[in-house]
Amino acid sequence: MRVTVRGEHVVVSGDVATEQRRAEVSEVIRDVAPEMVIHNDVRVVCVDEPTRREELT
Amino acid sequence: MIRIAAVGDVHLGEDARGRLRPALDNLGEHADVLLLAGDLTRHGSLDEAQVVADEFSDLPVPVIAVLGNHDYHSDKEAEITDLLIERGIQVLEGTATTLRIGQCSVGVAGAKGFGGGFAGKSGSVFGEPEMKAFIQHTVDIADRLHAALAGLDTDIKIALTHYSPVADTLRGEPPEIFPFLGCYQLAEAIDATGVDLAIHGHAHFGTEQGITAGGVRVRNVAQPVIGSAFAVYCVEGGQ
Ligand SMILES: [Fe+2]
Ligand SMILES: [Fe+2]
């Protein structure tokens, strides 16, 4: 998880396993820094079957 | 051609139960073996490990794992290891296992690995006891990985770690934290023992592809990096 603070803006990025965990990130920041504007750029990681494979020769 | 599926840093917990299962149900169509590169849990609790065991047991291919730093967080690594083994998942720590896939023998040696850093920007066994203990842990694990790899006499040899053996696959992470993401001693073990492919996780912001000084391909399979349930690498069957 990456947290960047710019003035009163806080940007969080990174990947988490579920939508709930993504929401928790905003909740935690709101708790500790209620005055900050939160930009939650966290993504829910894709767990689809791979569409490619790599051949190592 | 051996098809190796790999993923790390799935960081499972009760809230994520079953998430990987739809993709894993078709694993047999993609791969001959599944490697798990550590950080299987969020905090290393037994409850989370139970979810991991449920997620990765009863798959159509063998599953081989190492633990990551998160799996050590609750000091339950031994119990987690036992639980996974009970459920048919092999857990390596300075050890190796071999399997036969068709005509080809495949050896996997694994260890968690540790930090310490890379060429010219690394710690050494010097100074305070805390610093000596840090790097001694690095050296001990790399030595055990080396021995496990050296003991393999298989067509294909794979090194499986949580921490990275190279800085290449850390690109995207802040350079300041590289010494906490891997160490060169792992690459030395890999380069000394004729490894065909090195798999690791841990660097969520890193990149997938790298190579050791000795020319061994390294792949960072942290789930945020590969962006899928698992990655698949095909390796030519030795000789
Ligand atoms: Fe991780
Ligand atoms: Fe990790």
Side-chain angles (χ1 to χ4, degrees):
Chain A
M1 202 64 42
R2 193 168 276 173
V3 182
T4 312
V5 177
R6 295 271 186 274
E8 55 240 36
H9 297 263
V10 54
V11 183
V12 274
S13 59
D15 290 76
V16 293
T18 67
E19 192 57 55
Q20 175 61 31
R21 291 187 195 176
R22 183 180 179 281
E24 282 167 12
V25 171
S26 291
E27 282 164 31
V28 168
I29 297 170
R30 210 170 291 127
D31 275 355
V32 297
E35 69 291 352
M36 300 289 270
V37 181
I38 302 167
H39 303 274
N40 187 343
D41 290 347
V42 171
R43 298 176 307 185
V44 177
V45 72
C46 171
V47 288
D48 294 346
E49 277 179 65
T51 52
R52 61 179 186 91
R53 61 185 204 179
E54 186 185 6
E55 307 210 343
L56 300 167
T57 48
Chain B
M1 190 76 92
I2 303 304
R3 304 166 304 163
I4 298 147
V7 63
D9 303 86
V10 292
H11 292 288
L12 290 177
E14 196 55 56
D15 60 334
R17 179 183 281 282
R19 264 194 102 226
L20 295 164
R21 210 56 209 203
L24 291 174
D25 283 339
N26 293 326
L27 183 61
E29 293 165 27
H30 292 276
D32 303 302
V33 60
L34 173 63
L35 307 181
L36 302 178
D39 277 5
L40 309 177
T41 63
R42 298 177 82 184
H43 305 113
S45 74
L46 279 177
D47 287 349
E48 292 170 341
Q50 190 64 56
V51 177
V52 173
D54 292 343
E55 203 80 1
F56 294 107
S57 59
D58 305 317
L59 293 179
V61 303
V63 182
I64 303 167
V66 294
L67 300 187
N69 54 316
H70 282 248
D71 308 318
Y72 276 69
H73 184 66
S74 301
D75 301 317
K76 294 274 191 293
E77 63 275 9
E79 291 92 330
I80 292 173
T81 299
D82 290 345
L83 171 63
L84 297 180
I85 289 171
E86 230 168 74
R87 299 293 298 278
I89 298 164
Q90 295 198 62
V91 182
L92 305 177
E93 182 47 50
T95 53
T97 185
T98 62
L99 31 135
R100 178 153 286 280
I101 298 168
Q103 295 301 305
C104 187
S105 59
V106 179
V108 182
K112 173 179 65 70
F114 200 44
F118 302 93
K121 302 175 183 68
S122 57
S124 58
V125 185
F126 184 86
E128 302 90 326
E130 290 82 2
M131 189 64 197
K132 287 181 193 147
F134 180 145
I135 303 299
Q136 194 59 53
H137 185 57
T138 303
V139 170
D140 289 345
I141 291 177
D143 285 350
R144 287 204 297 273
L145 180 68
H146 188 147
L149 284 166
L152 287 172
D153 179 24
T154 48
D155 299 325
I156 291 175
K157 267 195 202 188
I158 298 166
L160 175 63
T161 58
H162 180 59
Y163 287 78
S164 179
V166 295
D168 294 14
T169 47
L170 305 182
R171 275 175 316 216
E173 296 278 4
E176 293 88 343
I177 68 166
F178 278 21
F180 302 107
L181 298 179
C183 64
Y184 70 88
Q185 289 90 344
L186 295 173
E188 286 185 342
I190 287 164
D191 282 342
T193 50
V195 170
D196 296 285
L197 174 64
I199 298 285
H200 75 87
H202 192 48
H204 293 207
F205 287 96
T207 51
E208 186 179 0
Q209 302 185 333
I211 195 162
T212 65
V216 177
R217 246 77 70 88
V218 180
R219 295 294 179 263
N220 174 8
V221 297
Q223 194 151 51
V225 171
I226 60 171
S228 56
F230 48 85
V232 179
Y233 306 106
C234 302
V235 179
E236 209 69 63
Q239 281 98 48

